[in-house]
Amino acid sequence: MVEIFSKRDGPRREDVQVKRLIEQNRGVITKLADQLSNGRYSELRKPRPKPQAEGLIIHIGDSHKPEPHPEPRVRVTANGRVVAVDIESGRQLAHFGDIRDRKGTKVFILATSANGFIAPLEDDLVRLLADVDGVAIGSSYSNTELASDIGQRIDILPEM
């Protein structure tokens, strides 16, 4: 056996009866709600005037603080990228190149368009760092020494 319930137009008879009962006893319900909430129920239902602004005030960021100056450090990341980062925020400021594996030896590749980098270094930095391009990294010359050399050439301290 299948029963089909179809929706009628208008509210159900039970809903109409309950709404009428609530409206008839609105005063008693409000009095009980005020008694249980120490008057907070009626106070919350009162319309409150919205505060009006006296003038147009626009705040963009924190204009009272001066913009912090980045304090760069040269870092060799775990995946072989050689970058300059701000030590306060950790944000990358510059990408100098990558340490790549070439025929079994690790070699530093400078970030130039000739080496296939999409965002190459500026010409000034390329001239300063040209002699470290293609340097082999190993037991005689480590990642920290590479970071130190790059930092000395461009006057940035290496990260410790």
Side-chain angles (χ1 to χ4, degrees):
M1 175 196 283
V2 176
E3 291 185 39
I4 299 175
F5 295 98
S6 63
K7 186 174 179 181
R8 294 182 302 175
D9 290 338
R12 296 182 309 172
R13 187 172 35 124
E14 299 87 26
D15 292 341
V16 172
Q17 289 175 346
V18 169
K19 283 184 180 180
R20 189 173 347 124
L21 179 68
I22 289 172
E23 286 302 319
Q24 287 173 349
N25 295 308
R26 176 68 58 198
V28 175
I29 293 170
T30 303
K31 186 177 177 183
L32 283 172
D34 280 338
Q35 189 174 7
L36 292 172
S37 66
N38 291 330
R40 185 132 168 85
Y41 176 78
S42 291
E43 189 175 319
L44 288 175
R45 293 179 53 90
K46 288 181 187 175
R48 283 183 243 143
K50 294 183 180 180
Q52 297 294 322
E54 293 179 16
L56 186 61
I57 301 171
I58 299 174
H59 289 284
I60 299 175
D62 190 7
S63 60
H64 300 294
K65 275 193 210 174
E67 192 66 29
H69 296 289
E71 192 173 338
R73 294 286 189 259
V74 177
R75 174 189 295 173
V76 178
T77 64
N79 61 351
R81 293 171 47 95
V82 181
V83 295
V85 294
D86 179 22
I87 60 171
E88 281 292 317
S89 66
R91 201 176 104 219
Q92 180 176 320
L93 302 173
H95 176 230
F96 300 118
D98 294 339
I99 297 174
R100 295 185 182 165
D101 191 25
R102 297 286 164 116
K103 299 178 184 174
T105 59
K106 292 185 178 184
V107 178
F108 174 71
I109 305 297
L110 193 62
T112 62
S113 55
N115 288 336
F117 284 84
I118 296 172
L121 285 172
E122 297 173 3
D123 292 335
D124 301 341
L125 287 174
V126 172
R127 278 193 294 276
L128 290 172
L129 301 174
D131 56 335
V132 293
D133 187 21
V135 171
I137 308 295
S139 60
S140 62
Y141 191 69
S142 67
N143 290 349
T144 55
E145 290 173 321
L146 173 68
S148 178
D149 284 348
I150 290 173
Q152 287 174 355
R153 292 166 204 264
I154 58 174
D155 293 328
I156 297 178
L157 296 174
E159 186 173 77
M160 298 299 166

